[in-house]
Amino acid sequence: MGYRTSFIPGNSPIHRLNPLTKLVILMLFIIIMFTVEWIHLPILLFLLIIVLISLSGRVFKDFFKIILKLGLPLILFVFIFQIFFYQGGEEVLWEFSILKIRLEAIIFSYLLGSRILVMISSLLFFLLTTNPSHIMNSLISMGFPPTLSFIFLSTLNIFPYMQSKANSILDAQKSRGLEVEGNILVKIKSIIPLIAPLLFGSISDVEQRALALEARAFSTPGSKTSILKIKDSLLQRIFRIIVLIFCLLLILYRLILYKVIL
Amino acid sequence: MSFRRNSKDESFKLPLSAKDAALASVIGAIYVVLTVGLAPISYGPIQFRISEVLTILPFLRASTMWGLFAGCLIANYVGGFGPWDIFLGSLCTLIAAYLTSKMPSIWLAPLPPVIINAFGVSSYLSIIFGVPYLHTVLYIGISETIICYVLGLPLLYYLKKQNFLEEYIFK
């Protein structure tokens, strides 16, 4: 492995921020990215995220490793795929039998690829610098149903573990002679031998988690008092409100620009 | 054989029990793994999202719909197609999963994801990307039908026969 995919403790100014503030920053990134139509914007936001990460203590190395190992293959795949299959535009730059690369496809793929990069890195920035129990506490204090926030957080949490499990199942089935390379029909036939072990293998995980939850009084009714008190300052609250208003204005700007309203 | 659901399934009501919450988060994680791992074909107007095979699970246990919601949200987030895709796409999945849990017969169980994803997802994709609406409905409808009916129905039948959830988890 060599890298941590979840919260990395630390004492940087970023770590000390309230989880809601960081969540609002996350939202700001996304909304800016999708309301302002500048092709180089996502890359700029990504550089900004790198600046923020470098302020966060020892998070940078793990962040970088995850982006390289998990993020880059995904982005490359999408980039290459969408270059060939994007349906917009007229001018064809390069042809090879049925595969066509259009200029608009390259632009779209670049935009999409850099957007995915920003999405992954902003979420990673949030997750690596914030304690999951703090996140859950802040969300619950905002009125979010606790069971739902648990599901979101633990889905994110189990994801790397599930991925390695899926990989080992893939290897195991391949060593038993399962065909996975080839045309789409082969791929379809190989799905159930891959999914069924994944489902059945997760049963003990479900049991263990359920036990752990019940041992922590998960299903007792009523609101839970927490020993955890999350720090929040007036400055951060003002900052959040300003950012939220700014986001709303951006959305309005975009809607007006596209003549959806007014 | 068209199995009928035996009793009213109220397990999706919040707050969830510990077992339901654990199951939902595991299902969500599997959904994300399958979507992200099989990118890029899991995204876009022409998509083949293998993870949609899990949408048959709410027929067995309604609480899994929250897992699918969370999984779809995270998978769409990573996919980078925008806030619309993140929220509306997962909302479509949630509604479809809820309807699946209400379906009376096993043959109808894969139907809600097919219909709601075909018409719902196409509606906002056509607005954002300008792809023709009916074409996208067709593409998504066909891929969902293959995944949910050709792959999902046998899986559902097998799981129901094995009494998968009842035997192993909800004893």
Side-chain angles (χ1 to χ4, degrees):
Chain A
M1 269 270 163
Y3 53 81
R4 295 163 287 186
T5 51
S6 53
F7 173 58
I8 298 172
N11 201 16
S12 66
I14 306 279
H15 276 94
R16 276 178 260 132
L17 284 177
N18 185 295
L20 290 175
T21 313
K22 282 183 265 193
L23 206 56
V24 159
I25 294 178
L26 187 65
M27 194 174 60
L28 179 68
F29 274 121
I30 302 177
I31 293 192
I32 289 186
M33 199 160 54
F34 286 97
T35 50
V36 179
E37 288 283 300
W38 184 38
I39 192 174
H40 297 297
L41 181 68
I43 295 288
L44 207 73
L45 290 176
F46 179 63
L47 293 174
L48 190 62
I49 294 177
I50 293 193
V51 169
L52 286 173
I53 294 272
S54 50
L55 289 172
S56 321
R58 300 216 186 87
V59 169
F60 190 74
K61 233 175 45 175
D62 299 84
F63 172 78
F64 213 59
K65 280 199 188 147
I66 298 179
I67 294 281
L68 274 167
K69 287 213 173 122
L70 301 179
L72 229 50
L74 172 69
I75 297 171
L76 231 60
F77 262 133
V78 175
F79 187 78
I80 294 178
F81 185 78
Q82 299 287 353
I83 272 192
F84 288 112
F85 288 99
Y86 183 62
Q87 311 272 356
E90 306 290 323
E91 193 191 324
V92 178
L93 293 178
W94 187 79
E95 258 188 83
F96 179 71
S97 66
I98 52 163
L99 298 172
K100 299 190 177 121
I101 301 185
R102 302 185 181 88
L103 181 67
E104 282 78 6
I106 297 183
I107 297 178
F108 177 72
S109 302
Y110 168 63
L111 197 62
L112 188 62
S114 48
R115 274 181 180 166
I116 297 179
L117 187 63
V118 173
M119 303 290 252
I120 296 180
S121 43
S122 56
L123 186 64
L124 209 56
F125 160 70
F126 176 63
L127 291 177
L128 288 179
T129 59
T130 324
N131 192 325
S133 19
H134 289 213
I135 303 177
M136 193 156 159
N137 258 34
S138 312
L139 286 176
I140 295 172
S141 68
M142 290 267 114
F144 204 67
T147 25
L148 217 53
S149 88
F150 166 74
I151 293 182
F152 278 105
L153 284 176
S154 55
T155 303
L156 279 168
N157 222 10
I158 322 177
F159 167 68
Y161 167 68
M162 272 298 159
Q163 219 181 15
S164 61
K165 217 168 179 193
N167 280 330
S168 48
I169 290 179
L170 185 65
D171 288 334
Q173 298 290 52
K174 277 206 284 202
S175 72
R176 284 180 180 80
L178 181 72
E179 289 290 330
V180 286
E181 302 299 322
N183 55 22
I184 197 78
L185 202 64
V186 170
K187 288 218 167 94
I188 293 181
K189 278 200 280 192
S190 72
I191 286 302
I192 293 200
L194 293 174
I195 295 190
L198 201 58
L199 282 176
F200 282 92
S202 319
I203 294 173
S204 60
D205 290 318
V206 174
E207 288 243 11
Q208 276 183 342
R209 299 191 147 251
L211 266 175
L213 286 175
E214 284 184 20
R216 285 166 178 75
F218 184 75
S219 25
T220 49
S223 61
K224 322 247 190 304
T225 19
S226 178
I227 201 172
L228 204 62
K229 290 281 176 279
I230 306 175
K231 282 189 286 190
D232 194 11
S233 61
L234 184 63
L235 189 64
Q236 289 189 54
R237 252 176 272 170
I238 298 177
F239 174 74
R240 288 202 292 269
I241 296 179
I242 295 181
V243 169
L244 281 172
I245 297 179
F246 181 60
C247 289
L248 263 151
L249 289 175
L250 275 176
I251 297 176
L252 275 170
Y253 153 76
R254 166 78 180 233
L255 288 176
I256 296 176
L257 205 65
Y258 281 73
K259 302 195 177 71
V260 176
I261 56 178
L262 289 190
Chain B
M1 223 186 296
S2 14
F3 295 151
R4 302 194 122 263
R5 185 200 320 286
N6 13 39
S7 56
K8 245 185 143 211
D9 194 346
E10 297 280 306
S11 62
F12 64 91
K13 293 243 171 89
L14 294 179
L16 297 171
S17 74
K19 279 201 169 140
D20 280 309
L23 179 66
S25 50
V26 167
I27 298 297
I30 297 181
Y31 187 98
V32 180
V33 168
L34 290 176
T35 316
V36 173
L38 283 148
I41 58 170
S42 334
Y43 297 107
I46 311 176
Q47 62 174 245
F48 200 72
R49 199 176 268 201
I50 299 289
S51 32
E52 288 288 310
V53 77
L54 297 170
T55 52
I56 47 119
L57 289 174
F59 183 77
L60 298 170
R61 184 91 186 174
S63 56
T64 50
M65 81 180 193
W66 296 111
L68 289 171
F69 178 60
C72 194
L73 200 99
I74 296 171
N76 283 346
Y77 181 89
V78 175
F81 270 79
W84 288 49
D85 197 25
I86 301 173
F87 292 113
L88 295 179
S90 2
L91 206 65
C92 287
T93 304
L94 185 65
I95 297 174
Y98 176 70
L99 290 176
T100 300
S101 70
K102 294 284 182 225
M103 287 289 124
S105 121
I106 200 174
W107 292 98
L108 292 179
L111 193 64
V114 174
I115 296 193
I116 295 190
N117 279 311
F119 289 97
V121 174
S122 318
S123 58
Y124 67 80
L125 278 187
S126 61
I127 294 179
I128 302 183
F129 294 101
V131 286
Y133 179 64
L134 283 175
H135 281 85
T136 319
V137 171
L138 202 68
Y139 291 145
I140 297 186
I142 290 180
S143 79
E144 289 283 329
T145 309
I146 296 178
I147 295 172
C148 295
Y149 270 97
V150 175
L151 296 175
L153 201 54
L155 184 66
L156 182 58
Y157 181 79
Y158 176 63
L159 290 176
K160 191 106 173 65
K161 204 116 184 280
Q162 295 272 343
N163 248 342
F164 175 59
L165 290 175
E166 288 76 15
E167 279 293 311
Y168 298 108
I169 303 185
F170 296 102
K171 230 343 194 235

Short mmCIF file of all heavy atoms in Angstrom, two decimals, chain B residues 72-121:
data_model
loop_
_atom_site.label_atom_id
_atom_site.label_comp_id
_atom_site.label_asym_id
_atom_site.label_seq_id
_atom_site.Cartn_x
_atom_site.Cartn_y
_atom_site.Cartn_z
N CYS B 72 -24.18 5.80 -5.39
CA CYS B 72 -24.36 6.54 -6.63
C CYS B 72 -23.87 7.97 -6.48
O CYS B 72 -23.24 8.52 -7.39
CB CYS B 72 -25.84 6.51 -7.01
SG CYS B 72 -26.16 7.03 -8.68
N LEU B 73 -24.14 8.58 -5.31
CA LEU B 73 -23.69 9.95 -5.08
C LEU B 73 -22.18 10.05 -5.20
O LEU B 73 -21.64 10.90 -5.90
CB LEU B 73 -24.13 10.39 -3.68
CG LEU B 73 -24.18 11.88 -3.45
CD1 LEU B 73 -25.61 12.34 -3.60
CD2 LEU B 73 -23.68 12.26 -2.10
N ILE B 74 -21.48 9.14 -4.50
CA ILE B 74 -20.03 9.19 -4.51
C ILE B 74 -19.48 8.85 -5.88
O ILE B 74 -18.56 9.50 -6.39
CB ILE B 74 -19.47 8.23 -3.44
CG1 ILE B 74 -19.91 8.72 -2.07
CG2 ILE B 74 -17.97 8.13 -3.52
CD1 ILE B 74 -19.62 7.75 -0.97
N ALA B 75 -20.08 7.84 -6.54
CA ALA B 75 -19.59 7.46 -7.86
C ALA B 75 -19.79 8.59 -8.86
O ALA B 75 -18.91 8.87 -9.69
CB ALA B 75 -20.32 6.20 -8.34
N ASN B 76 -20.95 9.26 -8.81
CA ASN B 76 -21.18 10.37 -9.72
C ASN B 76 -20.30 11.56 -9.39
O ASN B 76 -19.92 12.32 -10.28
CB ASN B 76 -22.65 10.80 -9.67
CG ASN B 76 -23.53 9.86 -10.45
OD1 ASN B 76 -23.04 9.05 -11.22
ND2 ASN B 76 -24.83 9.95 -10.26
N TYR B 77 -19.98 11.72 -8.11
CA TYR B 77 -19.08 12.80 -7.72
C TYR B 77 -17.72 12.60 -8.38
O TYR B 77 -17.15 13.51 -8.98
CB TYR B 77 -18.95 12.84 -6.20
CG TYR B 77 -18.06 13.93 -5.72
CD1 TYR B 77 -18.56 15.19 -5.45
CD2 TYR B 77 -16.69 13.74 -5.55
CE1 TYR B 77 -17.75 16.20 -5.01
CE2 TYR B 77 -15.88 14.75 -5.13
CZ TYR B 77 -16.41 15.99 -4.86
OH TYR B 77 -15.59 16.99 -4.44
N VAL B 78 -17.19 11.38 -8.24
CA VAL B 78 -15.88 11.08 -8.80
C VAL B 78 -15.90 11.19 -10.31
O VAL B 78 -14.91 11.55 -10.94
CB VAL B 78 -15.44 9.68 -8.35
CG1 VAL B 78 -14.14 9.28 -8.99
CG2 VAL B 78 -15.29 9.64 -6.84
N GLY B 79 -17.07 10.88 -10.90
CA GLY B 79 -17.15 10.89 -12.34
C GLY B 79 -17.00 12.25 -12.96
O GLY B 79 -16.69 12.37 -14.14
N GLY B 80 -17.23 13.29 -12.16
CA GLY B 80 -16.89 14.62 -12.63
C GLY B 80 -17.79 15.21 -13.69
O GLY B 80 -17.37 16.08 -14.43
N PHE B 81 -19.03 14.74 -13.79
CA PHE B 81 -19.90 15.31 -14.81
C PHE B 81 -20.71 16.48 -14.28
O PHE B 81 -21.47 17.07 -15.02
CB PHE B 81 -20.85 14.23 -15.37
CG PHE B 81 -20.26 13.51 -16.54
CD1 PHE B 81 -19.34 12.51 -16.34
CD2 PHE B 81 -20.62 13.86 -17.81
CE1 PHE B 81 -18.79 11.85 -17.41
CE2 PHE B 81 -20.08 13.20 -18.90
CZ PHE B 81 -19.16 12.19 -18.70
N GLY B 82 -20.55 16.79 -13.01
CA GLY B 82 -21.20 18.01 -12.55
C GLY B 82 -22.17 17.78 -11.41
O GLY B 82 -22.59 16.67 -11.14
N PRO B 83 -22.53 18.88 -10.75
CA PRO B 83 -23.44 18.80 -9.60
C PRO B 83 -24.79 18.20 -9.98
O PRO B 83 -25.41 17.50 -9.20
CB PRO B 83 -23.60 20.25 -9.16
CG PRO B 83 -22.48 20.99 -9.78
CD PRO B 83 -22.11 20.26 -11.02
N TRP B 84 -25.26 18.50 -11.22
CA TRP B 84 -26.53 17.94 -11.65
C TRP B 84 -26.47 16.42 -11.61
O TRP B 84 -27.33 15.76 -11.06
CB TRP B 84 -26.85 18.38 -13.08
CG TRP B 84 -27.22 19.78 -13.21
CD1 TRP B 84 -26.58 20.86 -12.70
CD2 TRP B 84 -28.34 20.31 -13.91
NE1 TRP B 84 -27.24 22.01 -13.03
CE2 TRP B 84 -28.32 21.70 -13.79
CE3 TRP B 84 -29.36 19.70 -14.65
CZ2 TRP B 84 -29.29 22.50 -14.36
CZ3 TRP B 84 -30.32 20.52 -15.22
CH2 TRP B 84 -30.28 21.90 -15.06
N ASP B 85 -25.40 15.89 -12.23
CA ASP B 85 -25.26 14.45 -12.30
C ASP B 85 -25.16 13.86 -10.90
O ASP B 85 -25.73 12.82 -10.61
CB ASP B 85 -24.00 14.10 -13.11
CG ASP B 85 -24.00 12.66 -13.58
OD1 ASP B 85 -25.10 12.08 -13.71
OD2 ASP B 85 -22.92 12.11 -13.81
N ILE B 86 -24.45 14.54 -10.03
CA ILE B 86 -24.26 14.03 -8.67
C ILE B 86 -25.60 13.91 -7.97
O ILE B 86 -25.98 12.84 -7.50
CB ILE B 86 -23.34 14.95 -7.86
CG1 ILE B 86 -21.98 15.08 -8.54
CG2 ILE B 86 -23.18 14.43 -6.46
CD1 ILE B 86 -21.11 16.10 -7.89
N PHE B 87 -26.33 15.00 -7.92
CA PHE B 87 -27.57 14.97 -7.14
C PHE B 87 -28.73 14.32 -7.87
O PHE B 87 -29.42 13.47 -7.33
CB PHE B 87 -27.94 16.39 -6.70
CG PHE B 87 -26.97 16.95 -5.71
CD1 PHE B 87 -26.15 18.02 -6.05
CD2 PHE B 87 -26.86 16.40 -4.45
CE1 PHE B 87 -25.23 18.51 -5.13
CE2 PHE B 87 -25.95 16.89 -3.54
CZ PHE B 87 -25.14 17.95 -3.87
N LEU B 88 -28.96 14.73 -9.11
CA LEU B 88 -30.11 14.18 -9.83
C LEU B 88 -29.92 12.70 -10.14
O LEU B 88 -30.87 11.91 -10.05
CB LEU B 88 -30.35 14.97 -11.12
CG LEU B 88 -30.75 16.43 -10.90
CD1 LEU B 88 -30.93 17.12 -12.23
CD2 LEU B 88 -32.03 16.49 -10.09
N GLY B 89 -28.71 12.33 -10.51
CA GLY B 89 -28.46 10.92 -10.82
C GLY B 89 -28.72 10.04 -9.62
O GLY B 89 -29.36 8.99 -9.72
N SER B 90 -28.21 10.46 -8.45
CA SER B 90 -28.43 9.63 -7.26
C SER B 90 -29.88 9.68 -6.83
O SER B 90 -30.41 8.69 -6.30
CB SER B 90 -27.53 10.06 -6.11
OG SER B 90 -26.75 11.14 -6.45
N LEU B 91 -30.55 10.81 -7.06
CA LEU B 91 -31.97 10.88 -6.73
C LEU B 91 -32.76 9.89 -7.57
O LEU B 91 -33.64 9.18 -7.08
CB LEU B 91 -32.48 12.31 -6.97
CG LEU B 91 -33.69 12.70 -6.13
CD1 LEU B 91 -33.30 12.73 -4.67
CD2 LEU B 91 -34.23 14.03 -6.57
N CYS B 92 -32.41 9.83 -8.88
CA CYS B 92 -33.05 8.84 -9.77
C CYS B 92 -32.83 7.44 -9.22
O CYS B 92 -33.76 6.62 -9.18
CB CYS B 92 -32.44 8.91 -11.18
SG CYS B 92 -32.94 10.33 -12.12
N THR B 93 -31.59 7.15 -8.81
CA THR B 93 -31.30 5.83 -8.29
C THR B 93 -32.11 5.56 -7.03
O THR B 93 -32.64 4.46 -6.86
CB THR B 93 -29.80 5.71 -7.97
OG1 THR B 93 -29.05 6.00 -9.14
CG2 THR B 93 -29.47 4.32 -7.50
N LEU B 94 -32.23 6.55 -6.17
CA LEU B 94 -32.98 6.38 -4.93
C LEU B 94 -34.44 6.08 -5.22
O LEU B 94 -35.03 5.14 -4.67
CB LEU B 94 -32.87 7.64 -4.08
CG LEU B 94 -33.51 7.58 -2.69
CD1 LEU B 94 -32.78 6.57 -1.84
CD2 LEU B 94 -33.48 8.94 -2.02
N ILE B 95 -35.04 6.88 -6.12
CA ILE B 95 -36.46 6.67 -6.44
C ILE B 95 -36.66 5.30 -7.07
O ILE B 95 -37.58 4.56 -6.71
CB ILE B 95 -36.95 7.79 -7.39
CG1 ILE B 95 -36.85 9.14 -6.70
CG2 ILE B 95 -38.38 7.52 -7.83
CD1 ILE B 95 -37.19 10.29 -7.60
N ALA B 96 -35.76 4.95 -8.01
CA ALA B 96 -35.89 3.65 -8.67
C ALA B 96 -35.75 2.52 -7.65
O ALA B 96 -36.50 1.54 -7.70
CB ALA B 96 -34.82 3.51 -9.76
N ALA B 97 -34.80 2.67 -6.71
CA ALA B 97 -34.60 1.62 -5.72
C ALA B 97 -35.83 1.49 -4.83
O ALA B 97 -36.25 0.38 -4.49
CB ALA B 97 -33.37 1.93 -4.87
N TYR B 98 -36.41 2.63 -4.47
CA TYR B 98 -37.62 2.58 -3.64
C TYR B 98 -38.75 1.86 -4.37
O TYR B 98 -39.44 1.01 -3.80
CB TYR B 98 -38.05 4.00 -3.26
CG TYR B 98 -39.34 4.04 -2.49
CD1 TYR B 98 -39.40 3.58 -1.18
CD2 TYR B 98 -40.52 4.50 -3.08
CE1 TYR B 98 -40.59 3.60 -0.47
CE2 TYR B 98 -41.70 4.52 -2.37
CZ TYR B 98 -41.74 4.07 -1.07
OH TYR B 98 -42.91 4.08 -0.37
N LEU B 99 -38.92 2.18 -5.65
CA LEU B 99 -39.97 1.52 -6.42
C LEU B 99 -39.70 0.03 -6.56
O LEU B 99 -40.63 -0.78 -6.50
CB LEU B 99 -40.11 2.18 -7.79
CG LEU B 99 -40.69 3.58 -7.77
CD1 LEU B 99 -40.70 4.18 -9.16
CD2 LEU B 99 -42.11 3.55 -7.22
N THR B 100 -38.41 -0.32 -6.75
CA THR B 100 -38.08 -1.74 -6.85
C THR B 100 -38.50 -2.47 -5.59
O THR B 100 -39.00 -3.60 -5.65
CB THR B 100 -36.57 -1.93 -7.08
OG1 THR B 100 -36.19 -1.28 -8.27
CG2 THR B 100 -36.23 -3.40 -7.17
N SER B 101 -38.29 -1.81 -4.43
CA SER B 101 -38.64 -2.48 -3.18
C SER B 101 -40.15 -2.67 -3.06
O SER B 101 -40.62 -3.49 -2.29
CB SER B 101 -38.11 -1.70 -2.00
OG SER B 101 -38.82 -0.49 -1.85
N LYS B 102 -40.91 -1.89 -3.85
CA LYS B 102 -42.36 -2.01 -3.77
C LYS B 102 -42.94 -2.92 -4.85
O LYS B 102 -44.15 -3.14 -4.87
CB LYS B 102 -43.01 -0.62 -3.93
CG LYS B 102 -42.71 0.31 -2.80
CD LYS B 102 -43.53 -0.06 -1.58
CE LYS B 102 -43.26 0.90 -0.45
NZ LYS B 102 -43.08 0.23 0.82
N MET B 103 -42.10 -3.42 -5.74
CA MET B 103 -42.61 -4.23 -6.85
C MET B 103 -43.18 -5.54 -6.32
O MET B 103 -42.58 -6.19 -5.46
CB MET B 103 -41.49 -4.51 -7.85
CG MET B 103 -41.12 -3.31 -8.69
SD MET B 103 -42.38 -2.88 -9.88
CE MET B 103 -42.69 -1.20 -9.43
N PRO B 104 -44.32 -5.96 -6.82
CA PRO B 104 -44.93 -7.18 -6.30
C PRO B 104 -44.30 -8.46 -6.82
O PRO B 104 -44.34 -9.47 -6.14
CB PRO B 104 -46.39 -7.08 -6.77
CG PRO B 104 -46.33 -6.21 -7.96
CD PRO B 104 -45.20 -5.25 -7.75
N SER B 105 -43.73 -8.41 -8.03
CA SER B 105 -43.23 -9.66 -8.57
C SER B 105 -41.78 -9.52 -9.01
O SER B 105 -41.31 -8.43 -9.32
CB SER B 105 -44.10 -10.11 -9.76
OG SER B 105 -43.32 -10.23 -10.91
N ILE B 106 -41.08 -10.65 -9.06
CA ILE B 106 -39.65 -10.62 -9.35
C ILE B 106 -39.38 -10.14 -10.76
O ILE B 106 -38.35 -9.54 -11.05
CB ILE B 106 -39.03 -12.01 -9.08
CG1 ILE B 106 -37.53 -11.90 -8.90
CG2 ILE B 106 -39.34 -12.97 -10.21
CD1 ILE B 106 -36.90 -13.20 -8.48
N TRP B 107 -40.32 -10.36 -11.67
CA TRP B 107 -40.12 -9.94 -13.05
C TRP B 107 -40.18 -8.43 -13.18
O TRP B 107 -39.60 -7.84 -14.08
CB TRP B 107 -41.20 -10.57 -13.95
CG TRP B 107 -41.03 -12.02 -14.07
CD1 TRP B 107 -41.70 -12.98 -13.37
CD2 TRP B 107 -40.11 -12.72 -14.92
NE1 TRP B 107 -41.26 -14.22 -13.73
CE2 TRP B 107 -40.29 -14.08 -14.69
CE3 TRP B 107 -39.17 -12.29 -15.86
CZ2 TRP B 107 -39.55 -15.04 -15.36
CZ3 TRP B 107 -38.44 -13.25 -16.53
CH2 TRP B 107 -38.64 -14.61 -16.28
N LEU B 108 -40.93 -7.79 -12.29
CA LEU B 108 -41.04 -6.34 -12.35
C LEU B 108 -39.93 -5.63 -11.60
O LEU B 108 -39.75 -4.43 -11.74
CB LEU B 108 -42.38 -5.89 -11.77
CG LEU B 108 -43.63 -6.27 -12.56
CD1 LEU B 108 -44.85 -5.77 -11.81
CD2 LEU B 108 -43.59 -5.64 -13.93
N ALA B 109 -39.18 -6.39 -10.79
CA ALA B 109 -38.20 -5.75 -9.91
C ALA B 109 -37.15 -4.94 -10.66
O ALA B 109 -36.81 -3.84 -10.26
CB ALA B 109 -37.55 -6.79 -9.01
N PRO B 110 -36.57 -5.45 -11.78
CA PRO B 110 -35.55 -4.65 -12.47
C PRO B 110 -36.14 -3.51 -13.29
O PRO B 110 -35.39 -2.74 -13.88
CB PRO B 110 -34.86 -5.65 -13.40
CG PRO B 110 -35.33 -6.99 -12.97
CD PRO B 110 -36.67 -6.80 -12.40
N LEU B 111 -37.46 -3.40 -13.34
CA LEU B 111 -38.04 -2.40 -14.24
C LEU B 111 -37.82 -0.95 -13.81
O LEU B 111 -37.45 -0.12 -14.64
CB LEU B 111 -39.53 -2.69 -14.41
CG LEU B 111 -40.20 -1.93 -15.55
CD1 LEU B 111 -39.61 -2.34 -16.87
CD2 LEU B 111 -41.70 -2.18 -15.56
N PRO B 112 -38.06 -0.58 -12.54
CA PRO B 112 -37.91 0.84 -12.18
C PRO B 112 -36.55 1.43 -12.53
O PRO B 112 -36.51 2.53 -13.09
CB PRO B 112 -38.17 0.85 -10.67
CG PRO B 112 -39.01 -0.33 -10.42
CD PRO B 112 -38.58 -1.36 -11.40
N PRO B 113 -35.40 0.76 -12.24
CA PRO B 113 -34.13 1.37 -12.63
C PRO B 113 -34.05 1.63 -14.12
O PRO B 113 -33.56 2.67 -14.56
CB PRO B 113 -33.08 0.33 -12.22
CG PRO B 113 -33.73 -0.50 -11.19
CD PRO B 113 -35.17 -0.52 -11.52
N VAL B 114 -34.55 0.69 -14.93
CA VAL B 114 -34.48 0.86 -16.38
C VAL B 114 -35.23 2.11 -16.78
O VAL B 114 -34.70 3.01 -17.44
CB VAL B 114 -35.07 -0.38 -17.10
CG1 VAL B 114 -35.13 -0.12 -18.59
CG2 VAL B 114 -34.24 -1.60 -16.81
N ILE B 115 -36.47 2.21 -16.34
CA ILE B 115 -37.31 3.32 -16.81
C ILE B 115 -36.84 4.65 -16.24
O ILE B 115 -36.67 5.63 -16.97
CB ILE B 115 -38.78 3.06 -16.43
CG1 ILE B 115 -39.27 1.83 -17.17
CG2 ILE B 115 -39.63 4.27 -16.74
CD1 ILE B 115 -40.74 1.63 -17.15
N ILE B 116 -36.62 4.69 -14.93
CA ILE B 116 -36.28 5.97 -14.32
C ILE B 116 -34.92 6.46 -14.77
O ILE B 116 -34.73 7.65 -15.03
CB ILE B 116 -36.38 5.88 -12.79
CG1 ILE B 116 -37.82 5.60 -12.42
CG2 ILE B 116 -35.87 7.13 -12.13
CD1 ILE B 116 -38.11 5.71 -10.97
N ASN B 117 -33.93 5.56 -14.87
CA ASN B 117 -32.63 6.01 -15.35
C ASN B 117 -32.69 6.41 -16.81
O ASN B 117 -32.10 7.41 -17.21
CB ASN B 117 -31.58 4.92 -15.16
CG ASN B 117 -31.06 4.88 -13.75
OD1 ASN B 117 -30.69 5.92 -13.21
ND2 ASN B 117 -31.04 3.72 -13.15
N ALA B 118 -33.43 5.65 -17.63
CA ALA B 118 -33.48 5.99 -19.05
C ALA B 118 -34.08 7.37 -19.25
O ALA B 118 -33.50 8.22 -19.93
CB ALA B 118 -34.30 4.94 -19.80
N PHE B 119 -35.24 7.62 -18.63
CA PHE B 119 -35.89 8.90 -18.88
C PHE B 119 -35.35 10.03 -18.00
O PHE B 119 -35.24 11.16 -18.43
CB PHE B 119 -37.40 8.77 -18.69
CG PHE B 119 -38.04 7.96 -19.78
CD1 PHE B 119 -38.31 6.63 -19.62
CD2 PHE B 119 -38.33 8.56 -20.99
CE1 PHE B 119 -38.87 5.88 -20.64
CE2 PHE B 119 -38.89 7.84 -22.02
CZ PHE B 119 -39.17 6.49 -21.85
N GLY B 120 -35.01 9.69 -16.74
CA GLY B 120 -34.56 10.74 -15.83
C GLY B 120 -33.17 11.24 -16.16
O GLY B 120 -32.94 12.44 -16.32
N VAL B 121 -32.21 10.31 -16.26
CA VAL B 121 -30.83 10.72 -16.50
C VAL B 121 -30.72 11.43 -17.85
O VAL B 121 -30.01 12.43 -18.00
CB VAL B 121 -29.89 9.50 -16.44
CG1 VAL B 121 -28.49 9.89 -16.83
CG2 VAL B 121 -29.90 8.90 -15.06
#
